[in-house]
């Protein structure tokens, strides 16, 4: 038995133990015991993925009762990389769940589903054929669906979120199933090795590509299949939301990588243009919705759509540039997409864990009612701040390194050896750079709002005033996540080499060697090394921190009323920005896209028409895609269902007539 086979077997055994622990352990000990075994299950996935990433070989066969070959699990380097990523997030989420899971989220069903969810995510990248891929894909989906049931008895919105998630998950599964079925019929087998022999320039391959892109894009939260995200993630417990946003969406990315890198490489250029278009629209729409959201979890959910949009933007650029024979730039874009995936897993899981800590401490996710948490929850504030820097792509973080590498590939990808590539690439690359620039600015604004108003502003509710730091077991994953965000940004070179090895032996050696300092010597010049930006940022940041420290020592905080304020009180919460007022300029600028609804209620003093006692302003921004696309379709289906009721009037004669007509139709079809 090889090390890789032993690793996958240990994952299976730990799944069985975790399920048994969830069913047998009493409530008082369930979170500790089940959370520990889920952590061990995720740790086993890290080891197994690392073995596959290092080039380990081995195969685990699963016999079936069907007339088909046994299912085989054997992750390659790319699958090993994804397995490591989702397992690291699984470790953080499981550790956090030990301290955060209470009552409903600590039920037998919840912890059993957590183990199944982690196991499914780990083994999707290990599949070597269509059937095993779809099997573990559904195991992952069922586990995540059951996890959302934690608070269905206490919050009515959970049921609606669950319906949306189930419907969109099955829609994605249908697209994936149809795409793989078309490829399998064309190849004459279900193994990925058989599918890799298909010519990507046939029309059947293009149809299968479109179906698979829709399926995997739905799991990766791309627009317009993202509508489940702002409903589901806010309703999920903190550790579950972290696992779904930080790990599960990466399975969708892996599916897309499997198609365009392994099964159908070197596809036509329009594939890349389409992927870039979906990614660019998703990035812009996601960050725009996040920038105006006042609920912390909704903000993070839409931010996930933006991050996945950037990942697909890089992936599409890689496909387009490779079709134009700009191999070096294509390799750099592919590395950038994978760096973005890793970076997103680190900072987004930390952000959702931080949001879970805030929900536990303050019982509130509305930014307009939070504030002052920085002094009350210093560990959470520090971890959330580091992760927010990564999400805003600021220097010294993994987010900056990934986006900078993508910019290098896009800026220099429109020229090879001094010659302009195709018209499609020449138009798409500058547009993609503009998308990244706009999303970077909006992301900075979004996370300044999220962190500043929640942690630095004055508390706006009694719950925020009474918030206290979470237990140590919950601080540990927060600290680990923050260190990963910084560590992946400080050491981009080894990370790029590991990613280059995961993509395959045909990966451009110069890109792997130079890492992020340049793209390659084939005519694409190096721009600036992100390490230089890290050093410069440190040189600028250290003096600022020293000045701030000395100033704080010389000028302590005043507690008495300010004399120049006439003895009045210091700054009050009502004088500060709220999340809604902070985003008001953006809402006005993008009014036609966001379509906000405002409700102003004026209460007059007594019988007076002129003296105002109170003004209440409420503003909400709905998801335009849901209201303009899905709602009309759902309303049409509902009306069709109401009309269909007329066919069921209880008349036995009518039912017999239906049967007779159906029989006639079948006979006519068979005769033809």
């Amino acid at each position: 038995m090889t090390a890789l086979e032993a690793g996958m077997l240990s994952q299976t055994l730990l799944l069985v133990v975790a399920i048994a622990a969830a069913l047998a352990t009493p409530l008082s000990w369930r979170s500790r015991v089940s959370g520990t075994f889920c952590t061990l299950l995720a740790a086993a996935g890290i080891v197994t993925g690392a073995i596959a990433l290092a080039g380990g070989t081995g195969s685990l066969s699963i016999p079936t009762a069907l007339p088909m070959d046994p299912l085989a699990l054997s992750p390659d380097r790319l699958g090993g990389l994804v397995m490591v990523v989702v397992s690291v997030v699984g470790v953080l989420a499981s550790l956090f769940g030990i301290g955060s899971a209470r009552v409903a989220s600590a039920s037998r069903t919840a912890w059993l589903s957590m183990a199944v969810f982690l196991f499914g995510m780990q083994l999707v990248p290990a599949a070597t054929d269509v059937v095993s891929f779809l099997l573990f894909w559904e195991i992952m989906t069922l586990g995540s669906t059951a996890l959302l049931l934690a608070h269905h008895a206490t919050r009515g919105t959970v049921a609606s979120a669950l319906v949306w998630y189930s419907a969109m998950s099955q829609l994605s599964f249908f697209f994936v199933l149809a795409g793989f079925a078309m490829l399998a019929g064309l190849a004459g087998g279900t193994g990925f090795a058989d599918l890799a022999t298909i010519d990507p320039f046939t029309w059947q391959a293009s149809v299968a590509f479109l179906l698979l892109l829709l399926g995997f894009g739905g799991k990766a939260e791309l627009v317009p299949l993202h509508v489940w995200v702002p409903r589901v993630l806010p309703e999920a417990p903190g550790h579950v939301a972290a696992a779904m946003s930080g790990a599960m969406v990466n399975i969708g990315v892996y599916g897309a990588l499997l198609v365009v890198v392994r099964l159908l490489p070197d596809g036509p250029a329009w594939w890349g243009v389409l992927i870039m278009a979906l990614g660019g629209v998703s990035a812009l729409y996601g960050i725009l919705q996040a920038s105006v959201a006042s609920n912390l979890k909704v903000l993070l959910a839409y931010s996930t759509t933006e991050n996945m949009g950037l990942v697909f933007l890089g992936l599409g650029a890689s496909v387009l540039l490779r079709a134009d024979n700009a191999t070096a730039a294509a390799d750099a874009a592919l590395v950038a997409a994978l760096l973005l995936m890793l970076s997103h897993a680190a900072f987004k899981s930390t952000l959702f864990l931080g949001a879970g800590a805030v929900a536990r401490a303050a019982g509130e996710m509305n930014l307009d009612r939070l504030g002052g948490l920085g002094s009350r929850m210093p560990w959470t504030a520090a971890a959330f701040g580091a992760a927010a820097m990564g999400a805003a792509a600021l220097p010294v973080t993994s987010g900056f390194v990934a986006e900078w590498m993508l910019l290098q590939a896009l800026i220099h990808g429109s020229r090879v050896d001094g010659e302009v590539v195709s018209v499609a690439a020449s138009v798409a690359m500058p547009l993609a750079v503009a998308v990244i620039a706009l999303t970077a600015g909006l992301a900075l604004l979004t996370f300044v709002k999220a962190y500043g108003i929640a942690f630095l502003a004055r508390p706006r509710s009694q719950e925020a005033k009474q918030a206290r730091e979470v237990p140590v077991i919950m601080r540990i994953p927060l600290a680990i996540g923050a260190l990963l965000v910084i560590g992946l940004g400080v050491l981009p070179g080894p990370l790029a080499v590991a990613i280059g090895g995961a993509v395959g032996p045909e990966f451009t050696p110069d890109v792997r060697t130079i890492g992020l300092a340049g793209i390659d010597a084939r005519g694409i010049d190096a721009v600036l090394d992100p390490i230089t930006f890290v050093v410069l940022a440190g040189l600028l940041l250290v003096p600022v921190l020293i000045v701030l420290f000395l100033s704080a020592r010389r000028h302590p905080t005043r507690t008495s009323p300010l004399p120049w304020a006439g003895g009045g009180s210091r700054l009050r919460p009502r004088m500060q920005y709220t999340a809604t007022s902070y985003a008001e300029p953006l809402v006005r600028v993008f009014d036609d896209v966001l379509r906000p609804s405002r409700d102003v209620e004026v209460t007059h003093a007594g019988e007076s028409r002129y003296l105002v006692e109170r003004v209440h302003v409420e503003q909400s921004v709905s998801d335009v895609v849901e209201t303009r696309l899905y709602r009309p379709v759902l309303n049409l289906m509902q009306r069709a269902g109401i009309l269909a009721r007329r066919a069921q009037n209880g008349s036995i004669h009518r039912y017999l007539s239906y049967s007779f007509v159906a029989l006639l139709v079948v006979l006519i079809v068979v005769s033809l």
Side-chain angles (χ1 to χ4, degrees):
M1 179 182 293
T2 65
L4 187 62
E5 294 170 351
M8 289 187 288
L9 186 60
S10 66
Q11 290 172 265
T12 307
L13 294 176
L14 283 170
L15 170 69
V16 175
V17 175
I19 291 175
L23 295 175
T25 309
L27 179 61
S28 58
W29 284 87
R30 188 176 300 136
S31 291
R32 301 173 193 173
V33 176
S34 298
T36 300
F37 281 113
C38 284
T39 303
L40 292 175
L41 172 61
I46 296 175
V47 175
T48 305
I51 294 171
L53 185 58
T57 58
S59 178
L60 190 65
S61 297
I62 305 175
T64 65
L66 301 175
M68 57 182 294
D69 295 333
L71 306 182
L73 299 175
S74 180
D76 59 6
R77 291 176 183 268
L78 179 60
L81 175 66
V82 176
M83 187 183 294
V84 169
V85 172
V86 300
S87 298
V88 168
V89 176
V91 168
L92 300 181
S94 300
L95 281 175
F96 192 87
I98 294 175
S100 67
R102 296 179 294 181
V103 192
S105 56
S107 66
R108 292 184 176 88
T109 302
W111 278 114
L112 184 151
S113 302
M114 185 68 179
V116 171
F117 178 44
L118 293 176
F119 183 74
M121 284 195 298
Q122 289 176 345
L123 292 190
V124 168
T128 60
D129 62 274
V130 171
V131 179
S132 57
F133 184 95
L134 294 175
L135 172 63
F136 290 106
W137 179 281
E138 275 298 276
I139 289 175
M140 173 189 70
T141 302
L142 291 175
S144 58
T145 303
L147 280 170
L148 297 175
L149 293 171
H151 298 287
H152 73 283
T154 56
R155 295 205 300 260
T157 52
V158 173
S160 174
L162 189 62
V163 170
W164 275 94
Y165 179 66
S166 300
M168 298 308 296
S169 295
Q170 294 311 307
L171 181 63
S172 296
F173 178 77
F174 168 77
F175 285 133
V176 173
L177 176 63
F180 275 139
M182 179 164 286
L183 290 180
L186 194 61
T190 59
F192 288 160
D194 298 325
L195 271 56
T197 61
I198 296 175
D199 181 7
F201 287 89
T202 61
W203 68 267
Q204 296 96 329
S206 293
V207 173
F209 163 77
L210 291 173
L211 292 170
L212 291 169
L213 180 62
L214 287 173
F216 294 130
K219 187 61 71 176
E221 307 181 7
L222 294 187
V223 175
L225 300 171
H226 72 289
V227 289
W228 60 272
V229 180
R231 292 174 173 271
V232 170
L233 295 184
E235 301 298 338
H239 64 292
V240 176
M244 294 180 71
S245 180
M248 186 183 71
V249 296
N250 290 329
I251 299 299
V253 175
Y254 170 74
L257 288 167
L258 179 68
V259 174
V260 300
V261 175
R262 290 286 188 259
L263 304 183
L264 300 173
D266 304 323
W270 70 265
W271 288 12
V273 173
L274 180 60
I275 298 174
M276 290 184 71
L278 282 176
V281 170
S282 300
L284 286 174
Y285 185 81
I287 196 59
L288 189 58
Q289 287 284 354
S291 64
V292 300
S294 58
N295 183 291
L296 183 56
K297 280 191 173 182
V298 172
L299 182 151
L300 298 178
Y302 276 118
S303 173
T304 302
T305 298
E306 178 245 346
N307 298 135
M308 290 296 104
L310 292 179
V311 172
F312 275 78
L313 189 67
L315 182 59
S318 175
V319 174
L320 176 57
L321 292 170
R322 198 173 300 280
D324 289 337
N325 295 319
T327 307
D331 290 341
L334 185 57
V335 171
L338 289 169
L339 281 172
L340 284 165
M341 182 188 74
L342 267 67
S343 173
H344 169 264
F347 66 69
K348 193 52 61 69
S349 57
T350 306
L351 287 170
F352 267 108
L353 293 180
V358 171
R360 175 189 171 95
E364 183 66 63
M365 282 288 98
N366 188 352
L367 289 171
D368 291 339
R369 292 181 54 80
L370 294 174
L373 299 180
S375 58
R376 294 165 175 81
M377 306 174 66
W379 284 83
T380 301
F384 194 96
M389 289 176 61
L394 294 179
V396 200
T397 65
S398 57
F400 170 76
V401 170
E403 291 198 20
W404 182 254
M405 177 118 189
L406 180 58
L407 279 173
Q408 285 194 75
L410 295 175
I411 291 174
H412 299 277
S414 58
R415 288 181 177 271
V416 178
D417 294 329
E419 297 182 1
V420 179
V421 294
S422 68
V423 175
S426 299
V427 173
M429 298 305 150
L431 289 177
V433 171
V435 167
I436 295 175
L438 182 55
T439 55
L442 291 175
L444 181 60
L445 182 148
T446 299
F447 285 97
V448 166
K449 176 186 76 171
Y451 188 80
I453 292 177
F455 292 93
L456 302 182
R458 293 182 177 271
R460 297 179 178 84
S461 64
Q462 194 63 30
E463 293 81 1
K465 291 180 181 179
Q466 296 174 354
R468 294 295 180 268
E469 187 60 271
V470 293
V472 175
I473 190 63
M474 298 170 65
R475 300 180 209 170
I476 294 174
L478 284 170
I480 295 174
L483 290 175
L484 285 174
V485 174
I486 303 299
L488 294 178
V490 173
L491 300 173
L495 188 61
V497 172
I499 290 176
V503 174
E506 72 280 0
F507 193 76
T508 306
D510 290 333
V511 180
R512 290 168 53 182
T513 304
I514 298 174
L516 299 174
I519 296 182
D520 141 307
R522 300 184 198 175
I524 300 178
D525 298 325
V527 188
L528 288 175
D529 187 350
I531 298 296
T532 305
F533 280 99
V534 171
V535 175
L536 290 176
L539 292 176
L540 293 174
L541 185 62
V542 170
V544 172
L545 292 177
I546 293 175
V547 171
L548 290 175
F549 177 76
L550 294 177
S551 178
R553 290 285 301 271
R554 293 181 60 185
H555 305 286
T557 304
R558 289 178 176 267
T559 57
S560 59
L562 298 176
W564 55 82
S569 63
R570 295 177 64 84
L571 189 65
R572 296 192 300 270
R574 288 178 60 85
M575 301 177 184
Q576 295 180 315
Y577 274 112
T578 62
T580 303
S581 61
Y582 187 87
E584 179 64 20
L586 271 180
V587 175
R588 292 183 180 276
V589 171
F590 295 99
D591 184 85
D592 292 335
V593 177
L594 297 172
R595 301 282 179 167
S597 60
R598 299 181 181 90
D599 184 18
V600 181
E601 181 181 344
V602 180
T603 303
H604 294 277
E607 301 296 329
S608 173
R609 296 175 53 191
Y610 306 102
L611 298 179
V612 176
E613 180 180 342
R614 180 173 176 267
V615 177
H616 177 74
V617 180
E618 187 174 345
Q619 177 177 282
S620 61
V621 179
S622 59
D623 195 310
V624 179
V625 175
E626 178 184 335
T627 56
R628 297 299 181 90
L629 177 61
Y630 287 91
R631 284 298 173 188
V633 173
L634 293 175
N635 292 337
L636 181 63
M637 294 175 63
Q638 187 176 18
R639 287 195 294 269
I642 293 174
L643 292 175
R645 292 179 182 176
R646 298 180 182 178
Q648 294 179 300
N649 64 346
S651 171
I652 188 65
H653 300 89
R654 179 174 293 186
Y655 296 159
L656 290 174
S657 300
Y658 295 157
S659 302
F660 179 70
V661 171
L663 179 61
L664 286 178
V665 171
V666 170
L667 291 175
I668 292 173
V669 171
V670 171
S671 64
L672 295 177

